[in-house]
Structure formats: C-alpha cells, structure tokens
C-alpha cells in the first residue's frame, strides 16, 4: 500500500511544491491578478522543480 500511495502522490517534497504552486494560484485569483499568473506560475513551478532536483 505504501508503494501505491508514493506512486499516486509522490513524496512529501512533491506534495509541498504542488501545494505551494496551488496556493500562489489561489492568491492571484482571489486578488484579481490572475493575468500575473502567466509569469509567476511557470517561475514557481521551475523553482519547485529545481528545489526537488537538489533535494
């Protein structure tokens, strides 16, 4: 079961990166700045991937 859950969700770092990116999206949408997401979301995703790569 543990292998299934790890395959489905990834490890804690992956879940953290996804949660942070989603939080940025929610904040941008709630503040009416969704257009700014075109720039910020790719940067946030790349930063998360870079963090996961060196982890």
């Amino acid at each position: 079961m543990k292998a299934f859950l790890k395959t489905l969700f990834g490890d804690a770092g992956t879940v953290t990166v996804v949660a942070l990116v989603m939080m940025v999206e929610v904040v941008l949408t709630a503040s009416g700045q969704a257009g700014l997401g075109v720039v910020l979301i790719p940067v946030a995703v790349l930063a998360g991937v870079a963090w996961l790569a060196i982890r």
Side-chain angles (χ1 to χ4, degrees):
M1 187 67 169
K2 185 177 179 182
F4 172 72
L5 290 176
K6 186 163 183 165
T7 301
L8 188 60
F9 295 110
D11 61 349
T14 304
V15 173
T16 301
V17 168
V18 171
L20 288 173
V21 170
M22 289 179 65
M23 187 174 63
V24 170
E25 292 171 349
V26 168
V27 168
L28 287 172
T29 303
S31 66
Q33 300 294 325
L36 192 57
V38 173
V39 175
L40 289 182
I41 298 306
V43 171
V45 169
L46 287 173
V49 169
W51 178 71
L52 287 171
I54 60 172
R55 226 174 132 254

